[in-house]
């Protein structure tokens, strides 16, 4: 038997890509996925470049893998993902024991690249952008999970001044509508009950239906909702500029779409938003949320925040804190600004001391955590519909599932409930998780 070991860093898109890699190599090369690195014939590192010093993290990991290859020179080391696109041949220069470098859009070429290495023992690299070819080649396995991610598009055209994604994932490309619906229908037949539509900017999705009509993101959600067996729909990630009224209308008439939205805002200061090239104002963002709460009064919003962006004053930061209070965000992903290569912001003067950045991040995260707990407390004593996903990792005598607002709930129940929806009464509250009893 031959085995592959995959280490994945970064976003849900990377997780999705890694699953495609595993499935593809099992089908084309008869490799089995292993969690034991010492069993592997191929080591694959799927990287993320969204944070600062991503390349140094890569080379530190490769240094550890070099020791493994020194003991067994036949092991193949492959590097993919966003840092692979960012660094390209420089990876070979610093780590000449790496065999394969592949890009975010060329993972489907891995079987051929592996064959070349096995035959010629020479480095091979392909970090090109052949549009959405990978979806034509990568197959999906039989599913054992009941909630699944489905990629609907890749890339981004927004070119925010701080973001490296357009350079590592390319421009926006939407998968054909029929391909997406076929994949989701196949998953539904295998028992999947919840779908998470995935993309760097899902609101920009646009394709053609089988009869030649334009399929927008709002239309796609409605089509997914019609698929038998799919009872819950999520999506990530959105950009406020394209969160248009037709998407808001879907929340009004599509109950399968959850009452929880991740809508990155990044800053509460119009000055900083302009410097970030986000193309909207705080007032625009608030209007979107207002419209959403009219059609879904119980909707909860999470967001992204960047703290310490070049030029951010104390007043700018306070405006962000005011927005957090006004919107009453449920959760957030928040980070200190990271200078990324090739981005316009990397040329801006960074005039904020790291100690001040850390202080602001602490204040922001502490406030969000307080609001998260307040949202959780509102759920105490309520009845929640839960998709049971499996046995709890912390207690094998309990099952777990998720609420619409993305909180994990553990409870005592029968294994026969796995893959089904059950109603629970919430009787214990933690900041990011809950406990319940069957009704």
């Amino acid at each position: 038997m031959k085995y592959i070991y995959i280490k994945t860093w970064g976003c849900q898109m990377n997780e999705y890509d890694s699953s495609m890699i595993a499935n593809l190599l099992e089908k084309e090369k008869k490799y089995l996925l292993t969690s034991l690195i010492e069993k592997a014939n191929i080591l694959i590192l799927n990287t993320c470049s969204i944070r600062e010093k991503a390349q140094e993290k890569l080379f530190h990991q490769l240094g550890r893998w070099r020791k493994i290859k020194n003991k067994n020179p036949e092991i193949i080391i492959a590097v993919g993902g966003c840092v692979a696109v960012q660094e390209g041949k420089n990876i070979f220069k610093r780590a000449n024991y790496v065999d394969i470098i592949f890009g975010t859009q060329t993972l489907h070429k891995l079987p051929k690249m592996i064959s070349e290495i096995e035959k010629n023992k020479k480095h091979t690299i392909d970090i090109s952008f052949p549009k959405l070819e990978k979806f034509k080649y990568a197959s999906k396995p039989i599913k054992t999970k009941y909630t699944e991610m489905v990629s609907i598009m890749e890339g981004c055209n927004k070119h925010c001044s701080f973001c490296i994604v357009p350079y590592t994932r390319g421009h926006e490309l939407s998968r054909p509508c029929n391909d997406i619906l076929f994949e989701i229908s196949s998953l539904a037949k295998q028992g999947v009950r919840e779908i998470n539509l995935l993309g760097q900017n899902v609101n920009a999705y646009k394709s053609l239906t089988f009869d030649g009509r334009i399929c927008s993101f709002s239309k796609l959600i409605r089509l997914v909702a019609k698929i038998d067996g799919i009872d819950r729909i999520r999506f990530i990630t959105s950009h406020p500029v394209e969160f248009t009224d037709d998407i808001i209308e879907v929340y009004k008439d599509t109950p399968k779409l959850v009452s929880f939205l991740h809508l990155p805002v990044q800053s509460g200061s119009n000055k900083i938003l302009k410097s970030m090239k986000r193309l909207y104002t705080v007032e625009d963002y608030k209007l979107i949320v207002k419209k959403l709460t009219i059609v879904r009064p119980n909707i909860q919003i999470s967001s992204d925040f960047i703290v310490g962006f070049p030029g951010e004053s104390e007043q700018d930061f306070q405006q962000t804190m005011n927005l957090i209070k006004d919107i009453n965000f449920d959760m957030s992903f928040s980070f200190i600004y990271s200078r990324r290569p090739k981005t316009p912001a990397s040329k801006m003067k960074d005039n904020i001391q790291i100690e001040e950045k850390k202080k602001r991040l602490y204040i922001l995260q502490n406030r969000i955590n307080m609001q998260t707990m307040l949202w959780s407390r509102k759920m105490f004593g309520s009845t929640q519909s839960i998709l049971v996903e499996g046995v709890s990792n912390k207690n094998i005598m309990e099952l777990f599932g998720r609420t619409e607002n993305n909180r994990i709930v553990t409870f005592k129940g029968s294994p026969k409930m796995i893959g089904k929806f059950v109603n629970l009464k919430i009787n214990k509250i933690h900041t990011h998780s809950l406990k319940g009893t069957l009704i």
Side-chain angles (χ1 to χ4, degrees):
M1 299 298 297
K2 295 181 179 180
Y3 294 93
I4 52 171
Y5 175 88
I6 304 177
K7 192 174 189 67
T8 307
W9 292 333
C11 64
Q12 289 173 305
M13 185 68 79
N14 270 22
E15 295 286 350
Y16 185 85
D17 284 350
S18 289
S19 69
M20 292 177 69
I21 291 169
N23 303 335
L24 182 64
L25 292 183
E26 180 179 354
K27 179 183 178 182
E28 300 291 333
K29 300 287 290 183
K30 308 304 179 187
Y31 282 96
L32 296 181
L33 186 65
T34 179
S35 59
L36 302 173
I37 195 169
E38 59 272 14
K39 287 181 65 176
N41 304 93
I42 300 179
L43 306 179
I44 299 176
L45 185 57
N46 192 7
T47 62
C48 173
S49 62
I50 203 72
R51 308 309 307 153
E52 195 173 11
K53 298 181 180 178
Q55 58 270 38
E56 295 306 315
K57 183 180 178 182
L58 161 67
F59 290 114
H60 288 155
Q61 181 61 54
L62 290 177
R64 290 188 283 270
W65 282 5
R66 182 178 190 176
K67 297 175 183 177
I68 299 173
K69 184 153 186 170
N70 286 342
K71 294 179 181 178
N72 181 5
E74 296 301 312
I75 284 179
I76 295 173
I77 297 179
V79 178
C82 293
V83 181
V85 177
Q86 175 187 314
E87 296 296 309
K89 291 182 179 179
N90 289 331
I91 295 174
F92 287 146
K93 293 178 181 178
R94 288 188 59 176
N96 61 4
Y97 47 89
V98 171
D99 301 288
I100 297 170
I101 299 174
F102 63 97
T104 54
Q105 299 295 332
T106 54
L107 59 88
H108 61 288
K109 298 185 180 183
L110 266 176
K112 182 179 179 181
M113 298 172 85
I114 291 169
S115 295
E116 290 175 0
I117 291 295
E118 292 172 336
K119 182 179 180 180
N120 301 318
K121 305 294 182 183
K122 293 182 179 179
H123 299 314
T124 181
I125 179 173
D126 191 334
I127 53 174
S128 60
F129 290 90
K131 298 193 174 178
L132 295 173
E133 278 185 16
K134 69 181 184 183
F135 294 104
K136 298 177 183 178
Y137 292 88
S139 60
K140 286 283 185 180
I142 299 298
K143 291 295 169 185
T144 55
K145 295 191 293 183
Y146 301 96
T147 175
E148 279 295 335
M149 295 181 291
V150 173
S151 180
I152 66 169
M153 66 177 300
E154 292 226 9
C156 186
N157 294 348
K158 298 299 172 287
H159 288 277
C160 300
S161 65
F162 57 83
C163 187
I164 198 171
V165 167
Y167 309 98
T168 58
R169 287 277 177 180
H171 292 151
E172 292 169 356
L173 291 169
S174 298
R175 287 181 68 189
C177 173
N178 293 345
D179 289 358
I180 296 168
L181 297 176
F182 178 79
E183 180 177 341
I184 295 175
S185 295
S186 299
L187 292 172
K189 290 175 182 177
Q190 296 174 44
V192 172
R193 306 291 301 278
E194 177 181 290
I195 291 295
N196 194 340
L197 303 175
L198 193 61
Q200 271 77 38
N201 179 21
V202 290
N203 334 51
Y205 177 85
K206 187 173 289 186
S207 181
L208 295 177
T209 59
F210 68 93
D211 56 0
R213 297 181 182 181
I214 292 177
C215 181
S216 63
F217 182 55
S218 58
K219 176 68 173 177
L220 179 66
I221 295 174
R222 289 192 171 95
L223 290 172
V224 173
K226 292 180 180 179
I227 296 174
D228 290 339
I230 299 302
D231 297 302
R232 189 177 276 178
I233 302 169
R234 303 180 187 272
F235 59 82
I236 192 169
T237 295
S238 296
H239 193 293
V241 164
E242 288 172 306
F243 208 94
T244 47
D245 288 347
D246 62 308
I247 299 174
I248 294 172
E249 280 295 307
V250 179
Y251 282 89
K252 184 177 181 179
D253 57 32
T254 310
K256 288 185 179 181
L257 183 60
V258 299
S259 294
F260 185 82
L261 171 65
H262 185 73
L263 188 61
V265 64
Q266 307 300 356
S267 175
S269 161
N270 284 333
K271 182 191 84 176
I272 297 300
L273 288 176
K274 184 177 181 180
S275 184
M276 289 178 169
K277 295 186 177 179
R278 290 293 285 176
L279 307 178
Y280 57 83
T281 65
V282 172
E283 292 72 27
D284 295 331
Y285 188 92
K286 285 184 174 181
L287 181 59
I288 293 170
V289 174
K290 182 179 180 180
K291 290 179 179 179
L292 280 167
T293 54
I294 290 173
V295 297
R296 285 281 183 99
N298 61 332
I299 196 167
Q300 291 169 237
I301 311 290
S302 68
S303 196
D304 292 347
F305 296 94
I306 294 175
V307 172
F309 189 80
E312 181 188 72
S313 66
E314 182 62 37
Q315 182 181 6
D316 295 321
F317 175 68
Q318 190 55 53
Q319 288 172 352
T320 298
M321 295 302 297
N322 292 341
L323 179 65
I324 289 171
K325 181 181 178 181
D326 292 344
I327 299 296
N328 194 17
F329 289 106
D330 182 9
M331 303 175 186
S332 80
F333 296 99
S334 50
F335 307 95
I336 290 173
Y337 166 72
S338 293
R339 190 184 300 271
R340 308 310 298 128
K342 300 181 181 179
T343 62
S346 65
K347 301 174 184 178
M348 298 178 183
K349 183 179 180 181
D350 190 351
N351 60 336
I352 309 169
Q353 296 295 319
I354 186 63
E355 291 79 11
E356 178 62 23
K357 293 180 182 181
K358 290 179 178 178
K359 174 187 170 185
R360 291 178 186 178
L361 182 65
Y362 173 81
I363 292 171
L364 186 150
Q365 291 181 338
N366 188 54
R367 177 67 196 187
I368 291 286
N369 287 336
M370 288 174 58
Q371 292 183 184
T372 301
M373 178 56 82
L374 289 173
W375 276 109
S376 292
R377 285 176 180 169
K378 290 180 181 179
M379 300 176 71
F380 184 82
S382 68
T383 299
Q384 298 290 326
S385 177
I386 310 297
L387 173 57
V388 185
E389 297 182 37
V391 177
S392 171
N393 291 329
K394 295 182 178 180
N395 185 348
I396 61 172
M397 302 303 292
E398 293 183 332
L399 303 176
F400 82 97
R402 291 178 188 271
T403 61
E404 274 202 32
N405 60 353
N406 215 29
R407 279 165 173 72
I408 292 176
V409 185
T410 57
F411 67 99
K412 291 182 179 179
S414 167
K416 294 180 181 180
M417 296 175 179
I418 296 175
K420 299 178 181 178
F421 283 89
V422 299
N423 288 326
L424 301 179
K425 183 175 182 178
I426 305 303
N427 55 22
K428 195 169 185 180
I429 302 296
H430 303 289
T431 304
H432 297 288
S433 65
L434 312 166
K435 275 191 174 293
T437 55
L438 281 165
I439 295 178

